[in-house]
């Protein structure tokens, strides 16, 4: 009996309506723009107004892909983030309400740096295997913040990716063969008392590459797998050059045709990251969306290698296969429109917005949406509670 195909049925991303141009930032920081544009491969950085946090961004990403019919079939909302807004209450509960999903559903929040959306997909896949007529909503949403005028400033970003996981998916099936790898390290972390991340940059890059090579080699050993089987590789992208660094050694072991094919597709997969920056848990799947939206050569039946990485650290490698007719279910035009309609901030405007903060002492505050055109926003802080609504 053939196994039930399970995977990504719908895929969408959201980023707020503001950005900083990397050339503007380089000039303000007395840095050669090529260090940003060429050195790490970033062109623009998504910026969130105070009315957009991880929960509202996640809800905005999911809103277009959850139909009225889906709302009654979704049994689980999994919210993956390292930008949580409450130590106790899951942001998934707010997303569940905002989207008016079936009340008899689970709503949970998952954390493991940039990796946890992948864990959510694997959990969803297991659930669908025993409940094939049901669906799971997985959302990865984050604000990447390192601080003004810091070494990590240029790799900040803001955004969310939402995926509907189901049987007989309309975009991509996810293989049963998958391999995670965990090692307790401190390459990147954010203590509870800090609102900006801490990172050992050189070690973090080294750890990322080591994790990729380790899980890939073990995956090849266990499943008799070769990179020659793949049409493309997608990576978690803290910045757009990272994946290229990680696969450099491995691409020297394959045919020139395979190497050129994977590198060409890689350029398509990093276009959205170049224009948004790092979005942590959603980053790998932003890359997938970029590949599917922007590669002219990708087609049904192609296999895509997926490398997920979350500092601290957990990595995972798995393979997805594109299904017949997947292009009809992409939101390519909507994605491009979202990026095109953003507002370019001056550096003083960006610095002012970056320093805006919500009250931490229970003070009530109604928020202005002068910079925000998204349908779902954080509108008020009241009685120590965040309140979200449609605007």
């Amino acid at each position: 009996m053939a196994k039930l195909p399970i995977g990504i049925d719908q895929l969408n991303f959201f980023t707020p309506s503001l950005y900083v141009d990397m050339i503007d930032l380089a000039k303000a920081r007395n840095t050669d723009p090529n260090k940003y544009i060429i050195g790490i491969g970033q062109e623009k950085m998504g910026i969130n107004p105070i009315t957009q946090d991880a929960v509202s961004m996640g809800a905005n990403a999911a809103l277009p892909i959850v139909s009225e019919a889906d709302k009654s079939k979704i049994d689980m909302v999994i919210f993956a983030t390292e930008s949580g807004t409450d130590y106790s209450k899951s942001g998934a509960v707010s997303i569940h309400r905002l989207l008016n999903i079936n009340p008899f559903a689970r709503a949970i929040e998952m954390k493991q740096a940039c990796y946890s959306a992948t864990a959510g997909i694997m959990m969803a896949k297991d659930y669908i295997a025993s409940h094939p007529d049901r669906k799971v909503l997985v959302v990865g949403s984050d604000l990447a913040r390192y601080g003004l005028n810091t070494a990590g400033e240029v790799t900040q970003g803001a955004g969310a990716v939402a995926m509907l996981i189901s049987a007989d998916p309309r975009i991509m099936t996810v293989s049963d063969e998958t391999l995670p790898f965990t090692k307790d390290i401190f390459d990147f972390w954010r203590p509870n008392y800090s609102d900006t991340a801490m990172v050992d940059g050189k070690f973090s890059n080294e750890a990322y590459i080591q994790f990729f090579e380790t899980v890939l080699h073990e995956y090849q050993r266990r499943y008799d797998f070769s990179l020659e089987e793949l049409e493309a590789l997608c990576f978690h992208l803290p910045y757009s050059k990272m994946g290229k660094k990680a696969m450099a050694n491995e691409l020297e072991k394959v045919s020139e045709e395979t190497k050129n094919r994977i590198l060409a597709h890689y350029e398509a997969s990093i276009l959205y990251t170049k224009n948004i920056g790092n979005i942590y848990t959603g980053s790998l799947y932003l890359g997938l969306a970029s590949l599917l939206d922007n590669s002219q050569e990708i087609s049904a039946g192609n296999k895509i290698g997926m490398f997920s990485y979350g500092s601290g650290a957990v990595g995972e490698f798995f393979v997805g296969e594109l299904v017949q007719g997947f292009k009809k279910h992409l939101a390519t035009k909507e994605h491009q429109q979202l990026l095109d309609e953003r507002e370019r901030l001056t550096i003083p405007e960006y610095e002012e917005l970056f320093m805006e903060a919500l009250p931490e002492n229970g003070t009530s505050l109604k928020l202005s949406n002068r910079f925000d055109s998204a349908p779902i926003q954080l509108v008020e802080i009241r009685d120590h509670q965040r309140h979200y609504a449609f605007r």
Side-chain angles (χ1 to χ4, degrees), residues 231-262:
E231 180 68 18
L233 273 167
C234 284
F235 292 82
H236 161 60
L237 297 170
Y239 54 91
S240 70
K241 285 286 187 71
M242 189 65 246
K244 194 171 186 178
K245 290 181 180 181
M247 64 178 163
N249 290 336
E250 299 306 315
L251 290 186
E252 295 305 314
K253 305 173 185 178
V254 299
S255 69
E256 197 67 19
E257 179 186 355
T258 297
K259 178 180 179 179
N260 291 339
R261 180 179 71 245
I262 288 177

Side-chain angles (χ1 to χ4, degrees), residues 11 13 264-276 285-299 326-327 330-333 335-337 339-340:
L11 170 67
F13 77 83
H265 285 309
Y266 181 77
E267 293 304 313
S269 76
I270 64 176
L271 291 176
Y272 291 158
T273 296
K274 281 184 173 183
N275 282 278
I276 295 173
Y285 304 99
L286 181 67
L288 176 63
S290 185
L291 172 69
L292 301 185
D293 284 350
N294 295 296
S295 175
Q296 301 304 311
E297 306 301 322
I298 211 85
S299 60
F326 76 92
K327 291 184 179 180
L330 302 178
T332 307
K333 290 182 180 178
H335 291 160
Q336 193 58 54
Q337 183 178 0
L339 295 176
D340 290 344

Side-chain angles (χ1 to χ4, degrees), residues 291-354:
L291 172 69
L292 301 185
D293 284 350
N294 295 296
S295 175
Q296 301 304 311
E297 306 301 322
I298 211 85
S299 60
N302 286 164
K303 293 182 178 180
I304 301 171
M306 306 284 287
F307 175 62
S308 183
Y309 179 78
S311 292
V314 179
E316 187 158 351
F317 185 83
F318 64 97
V319 175
E321 183 172 333
L322 298 174
V323 304
Q324 199 67 37
F326 76 92
K327 291 184 179 180
K328 295 184 294 185
H329 302 285
L330 302 178
T332 307
K333 290 182 180 178
E334 292 81 359
H335 291 160
Q336 193 58 54
Q337 183 178 0
L338 178 69
L339 295 176
D340 290 344
E341 291 180 351
R342 293 182 299 169
E343 178 181 348
R344 180 176 180 173
L345 294 172
T346 65
I347 299 305
E349 287 173 332
Y350 149 63
E351 292 178 340
E352 180 183 352
L353 278 177
F354 190 92

Side-chain angles (χ1 to χ4, degrees), residues 363-387:
T363 302
S364 294
L365 177 66
K366 290 189 176 182
L367 299 174
S368 162
N369 65 343
R370 62 192 176 103
F371 282 114
D372 202 348
S373 58
I376 297 172
Q377 301 177 20
L378 174 63
V379 297
E380 185 179 8
I381 305 294
R382 186 177 71 250
D383 299 327
H384 299 277
Q385 302 166 2
R386 296 191 185 209
H387 293 271

Side-chain angles (χ1 to χ4, degrees), residues 63-195:
L63 184 63
I65 64 170
V66 177
S67 69
E68 288 301 318
D70 291 331
K71 292 176 183 180
S72 64
K73 293 183 178 181
I74 294 172
D75 279 352
M76 191 157 29
V77 179
I78 300 175
F79 180 54
T81 188
E82 54 182 288
S83 309
T85 60
D86 191 285
Y87 284 127
S88 178
K89 182 180 178 180
S90 165
V93 172
S94 296
I95 293 173
H96 174 275
R97 174 186 64 82
L98 288 162
L99 300 181
N100 195 29
I101 288 170
N102 155 45
F104 299 101
R106 295 188 180 103
I108 59 172
E109 187 169 316
M110 302 183 72
K111 178 182 72 177
Q112 173 38 49
C114 304
Y115 163 77
S116 57
T118 298
I121 289 174
M122 299 308 165
M123 181 182 292
K125 190 169 177 288
D126 288 344
Y127 181 81
I128 298 300
S130 56
H131 304 82
D133 59 336
R134 310 304 290 173
K135 298 186 179 186
V136 176
L137 176 64
V138 177
V139 176
S141 180
D142 275 297
L143 305 170
R145 289 170 59 92
Y146 298 94
L148 299 175
N149 212 0
T150 62
E153 181 179 30
V154 70
T155 61
Q156 297 177 138
V161 175
M163 294 166 283
L164 207 56
I165 309 301
S166 76
D168 294 318
R170 289 174 286 182
I171 293 179
M172 187 177 85
T173 60
V174 172
S175 63
D176 289 331
E177 294 79 21
T178 182
L179 187 69
F181 177 65
T182 297
K183 189 176 182 181
D184 187 3
I185 60 175
F186 279 94
D187 57 328
F188 168 104
W189 67 103
R190 182 171 71 85
N192 291 342
Y193 51 79
S194 176
D195 63 356

